[in-house]
Amino acid sequence: MCNIKKTADYKMTEDEKGMHYEFFCDLSHASICTVTLSDYKGEEGLMHAWKNMAEKHFNHCHMCHKWVIDAMYNPDVLTCVKCTPIEEDPHYCPKCGRKIKTDGNFCHICGAKLLYGGENNAEKTKLY
């Protein structure tokens, strides 16, 4: 049976301000998001921090179930770049699913930005 991770890798620390939950990309190990909660602790706090604040900064690999940042994600196949390396431009739009017919950064059907590794995602990989 497959062990699906509920959150990205994380570290919990506590001080006078409350519990700090720091989340890391499972592949690059970059610190992506830190959430401080004064009303929650332990597993309950972890899940609250993840669902309400941190999860939006990550993509979930549909093969190995790692949680990764945009630069480490292949949206054409919904996997991390370790499972499916990005070797060429996307063939399908990650939003509408239509086949991409032209070279460019936007889908010719729905206008969605075609996010795929490298320089196109540099702004999405900032530490929060």
Side-chain angles (χ1 to χ4, degrees):
M1 184 166 182
C2 182
N3 184 18
I4 297 177
K5 291 179 63 175
K6 293 180 183 178
T7 71
D9 288 341
Y10 63 91
K11 179 173 79 172
M12 288 190 294
T13 57
E14 184 175 17
D15 64 17
E16 66 280 349
K17 294 180 183 179
M19 291 296 295
H20 305 282
Y21 301 91
E22 185 176 10
F23 296 93
F24 302 87
C25 173
D26 289 344
L27 283 184
S28 71
H29 307 292
S31 174
I32 303 303
C33 179
T34 300
V35 178
T36 301
L37 299 174
S38 59
D39 298 339
Y40 295 91
K41 288 189 175 191
E43 183 74 18
E44 180 185 14
L46 171 66
M47 294 316 296
H48 181 79
W50 175 252
K51 287 291 181 190
N52 294 302
M53 293 160 244
E55 185 177 20
K56 65 185 173 190
H57 300 289
F58 294 88
N59 300 288
H60 188 239
C61 177
H62 290 230
M63 285 181 88
C64 69
H65 304 290
K66 291 184 185 302
W67 291 94
V68 298
I69 56 176
D70 287 347
M72 304 302 283
Y73 190 67
N74 186 340
D76 272 350
V77 289
L78 305 175
T79 65
C80 69
V81 296
K82 186 173 182 181
C83 290
T84 310
I86 299 172
E87 297 177 1
E88 54 189 65
D89 290 343
H91 297 285
Y92 297 92
C93 174
K95 183 174 181 184
C96 72
R98 300 293 296 267
K99 186 166 180 66
I100 303 299
K101 295 181 180 180
T102 61
D103 292 335
N105 293 328
F106 297 91
C107 175
H108 67 285
I109 302 294
C110 71
K113 183 169 173 67
L114 301 175
L115 298 175
Y116 42 97
E119 297 172 10
N120 292 335
N121 284 337
E123 72 277 0
K124 294 270 188 173
T125 60
K126 295 177 190 170
L127 299 180
Y128 294 91

